[in-house]
Amino acid sequence: MILQRIVLGLLSIAPMSGYDLKRHFDSTVNYFWSADKAQIYRTLAALVSDGLVEVQKVPGTAGPDRQEHRITPAGRAVLREWLVSDLDRQPERDAFLARVFFAGELDPADVSGLLQRRRDAALATLATLEAIRAANPEPDQSASRAERLRLATLDHGLRHTRTELEWLDNLEKEFR
């Protein structure tokens, strides 16, 4: 159900094809929610079936026609209802933390390798997020609330990643 709401949210920004939605998942919301191509297309079909999204054929200029999805007024109402409802408690599932939890039997070099692999991944994420942030300077007074809130999710990702790197530093110092 949350995937449906996220798709509705993306479609509230602009009409999109399934391909466009996948691109947005990969480049924006992927830092807090992921979906593969099949999930996105199944979700779109369900949203269309429920009358929350409509499809319009857009003639292709250099290729085939595009199936552009647009949020309906009913879809906007469902999205708004979700946005103002009680928060959904999603249990965390983090394979890395599961590995750390059970790593007590590993020798120090293996623990260090585990932490280093996570550090490498966090540094790559940080570099990506910093590049996105550099391309999106601080909004001025004319920026919409929606633009500022989307940027706030990026800032959250940056802070979270920096905090994780600090945590990894402390963990490595403790278990050297």
Side-chain angles (χ1 to χ4, degrees), residues 22-42:
K22 177 60 176 147
R23 233 184 39 222
H24 275 276
F25 264 93
D26 291 347
S27 64
T28 58
V29 299
N30 187 52
Y31 297 103
F32 55 84
W33 203 272
S34 63
D36 64 34
K37 183 177 162 184
Q39 290 173 305
I40 292 169
Y41 281 94
R42 276 194 310 271

Side-chain angles (χ1 to χ4, degrees), residues 10-58:
L10 288 170
L11 293 175
S12 75
I13 296 169
M16 296 182 209
S17 67
Y19 174 81
D20 295 332
L21 281 165
K22 177 60 176 147
R23 233 184 39 222
H24 275 276
F25 264 93
D26 291 347
S27 64
T28 58
V29 299
N30 187 52
Y31 297 103
F32 55 84
W33 203 272
S34 63
D36 64 34
K37 183 177 162 184
Q39 290 173 305
I40 292 169
Y41 281 94
R42 276 194 310 271
T43 300
L44 281 172
L47 291 169
V48 169
S49 176
D50 292 344
L52 304 177
V53 168
E54 60 189 16
V55 182
Q56 180 179 8
K57 187 181 283 191
V58 177

Side-chain angles (χ1 to χ4, degrees), residues 3-4 16 18 24 27 31 33 47-49 56 58-59 62 75 97 104 114 117 125 128 130 133 138 159 163 170 174:
L3 178 58
Q4 287 187 352
M16 296 182 209
H24 275 276
S27 64
Y31 297 103
W33 203 272
L47 291 169
V48 169
S49 176
Q56 180 179 8
V58 177
L97 288 178
L114 173 64
R117 287 190 298 280
T125 297
T128 300
E130 285 176 337
R133 189 63 176 95
E138 203 58 44
R159 288 174 187 229
T163 299
N170 292 334
E174 183 176 344

Side-chain angles (χ1 to χ4, degrees), residues 1-173:
M1 182 169 106
I2 293 174
L3 178 58
Q4 287 187 352
R5 301 316 183 253
I6 292 171
V7 168
L8 287 173
L10 288 170
L11 293 175
S12 75
I13 296 169
M16 296 182 209
S17 67
Y19 174 81
D20 295 332
L21 281 165
K22 177 60 176 147
R23 233 184 39 222
H24 275 276
F25 264 93
D26 291 347
S27 64
T28 58
V29 299
N30 187 52
Y31 297 103
F32 55 84
W33 203 272
S34 63
D36 64 34
K37 183 177 162 184
Q39 290 173 305
I40 292 169
Y41 281 94
R42 276 194 310 271
T43 300
L44 281 172
L47 291 169
V48 169
S49 176
D50 292 344
L52 304 177
V53 168
E54 60 189 16
V55 182
Q56 180 179 8
K57 187 181 283 191
V58 177
T61 54
D65 292 345
R66 292 171 26 103
Q67 299 294 317
E68 194 171 76
H69 298 80
R70 297 174 182 272
I71 190 170
T72 64
R76 286 190 189 282
V78 166
L79 176 61
R80 185 185 188 297
E81 182 181 307
W82 177 66
L83 291 171
V84 299
S85 68
D86 290 339
L87 295 178
D88 307 307
R89 175 65 183 125
Q90 297 295 313
E92 290 291 323
R93 295 173 47 173
D94 189 324
F96 168 71
L97 288 178
R99 291 177 188 208
V100 170
F101 188 87
F102 295 113
E105 300 298 317
L106 296 177
D107 62 54
D110 288 335
V111 172
S112 181
L114 173 64
L115 299 177
Q116 186 58 50
R117 287 190 298 280
R118 182 60 172 224
R119 175 181 304 292
D120 292 345
L123 287 169
T125 297
L126 184 61
T128 300
L129 293 175
E130 285 176 337
I132 294 169
R133 189 63 176 95
N136 293 281
E138 203 58 44
D140 62 19
Q141 297 294 49
S142 67
S144 70
R145 178 179 330 136
E147 291 169 313
R148 292 191 318 268
L149 287 170
R150 284 193 292 271
L151 191 57
T153 65
L154 174 60
D155 289 338
H156 174 272
L158 285 162
R159 288 174 187 229
H160 177 84
T161 305
R162 289 178 183 133
T163 299
E164 181 173 20
L165 287 165
E166 180 182 326
W167 175 78
L168 286 165
D169 288 343
N170 292 334
L171 199 56
E172 277 193 64
K173 286 176 190 170

